[in-house]
Amino acid sequence: MSKGERTRAAILDQALAMTSTDGLTGLTIGTLADRLGMSKSGLFAHFGSKEQLQAAVLERAAELFADTVVRPALAQPRGLPRVLGLFENWIAWTMDPVLPGGCPIQAASIEFDDRPGPIQDLIVKQQEDMRRVVIGAARRAVEEGHLRADLDVEQFAFEGISLCYGFTQSYRLLKNPKSEVWARNAVHGLVDRGRLRQ
């Protein structure tokens, strides 16, 4: 990496940590510059506007999510191991101390759900990409015979993603000590229903 690339990466790492606790709307060029000991003009050399910085932070968060959750799961054998890997990794991601305030992507999806514009468009794309990953993993599990042939994979993905988001609220906001057990029970209940004919 060049010096410029290393500087940009360091900026994004700090911005991601700030976004995790303060939200995307709480991320400002001035505050970030202070945290990094940089000038505002130095930051603007890398990101021309607050919106461009927000987009870069979301893209960095998505890369980290993919490296932590998606890619390790897709390295598992086709079928149910990949499905379970996705959900297990997602639970671990939510509990990861590297993100002191939780998942920036999930937080941003709430922050920007009624704020049309380029940032909302990027968040929608990221959410749809994740939905496609879960649907694809479920479809492979059907093809492998691990889940029943008539399974509605879109419904399966909806329930799986919803339970991961519900786990985040229970674990991070409500701080319920049973959250992790409940989440894993919910995942296995979802999979068990996927195996059985209704």
Side-chain angles (χ1 to χ4, degrees):
M1 294 175 71
S2 68
K3 181 180 178 181
E5 289 171 335
R6 288 195 301 272
T7 301
R8 180 182 171 88
I11 292 170
L12 285 176
D13 285 343
Q14 182 62 54
L16 183 59
M18 287 177 60
T19 300
S20 176
T21 55
D22 302 337
L24 268 184
T25 53
L27 179 66
T28 67
I29 296 284
T31 305
L32 182 57
D34 289 343
R35 293 261 185 105
L36 290 163
M38 293 179 65
S39 65
K40 289 183 182 181
S41 60
L43 272 179
F44 270 110
H46 294 276
F47 310 97
S49 67
K50 179 179 178 178
E51 188 174 87
Q52 289 178 17
L53 173 63
Q54 289 174 327
V57 167
L58 283 173
E59 288 165 356
R60 175 70 184 112
E63 289 171 8
L64 186 59
F65 184 88
D67 288 342
T68 306
V69 178
V70 178
R71 292 190 182 100
L74 297 184
Q76 296 294 316
R78 280 170 55 102
L80 203 50
R82 290 187 186 178
V83 172
L84 292 173
L86 282 170
F87 293 133
E88 285 292 330
N89 294 347
W90 201 333
I91 290 169
W93 158 267
T94 299
M95 300 169 70
D96 191 341
V98 171
L99 296 168
C103 178
I105 300 171
Q106 183 172 347
S109 71
I110 297 169
E111 268 187 281
F112 283 81
D113 62 353
D114 58 356
R115 297 183 183 200
I119 297 300
Q120 186 190 74
D121 293 344
L122 177 57
I123 294 166
V124 168
K125 179 184 180 301
Q126 290 177 334
Q127 296 290 330
E128 289 293 343
D129 286 347
M130 188 60 217
R131 180 174 169 273
R132 279 191 288 272
V133 167
V134 178
I135 288 172
R139 190 168 284 132
R140 299 295 88 74
V142 170
E143 292 169 357
E144 294 294 321
H146 298 161
L147 297 175
R148 66 178 194 271
D150 64 345
L151 179 70
D152 184 338
V153 292
E154 293 189 2
Q155 176 72 29
F156 183 93
F158 173 82
E159 291 184 37
I161 292 169
S162 296
L163 74 85
C164 287
Y165 275 18
F167 168 66
T168 300
Q169 183 192 64
S170 182
Y171 179 79
R172 301 201 66 92
L173 176 64
L174 303 179
K175 304 192 185 311
N176 192 307
K178 296 181 180 178
S179 300
E180 186 179 355
V181 171
W182 287 344
R184 289 199 164 90
N185 287 344
V187 167
H188 289 288
L190 176 65
V191 168
D192 286 346
R193 291 193 303 278
R195 287 181 171 131
L196 301 172
R197 289 197 172 276
Q198 302 298 309

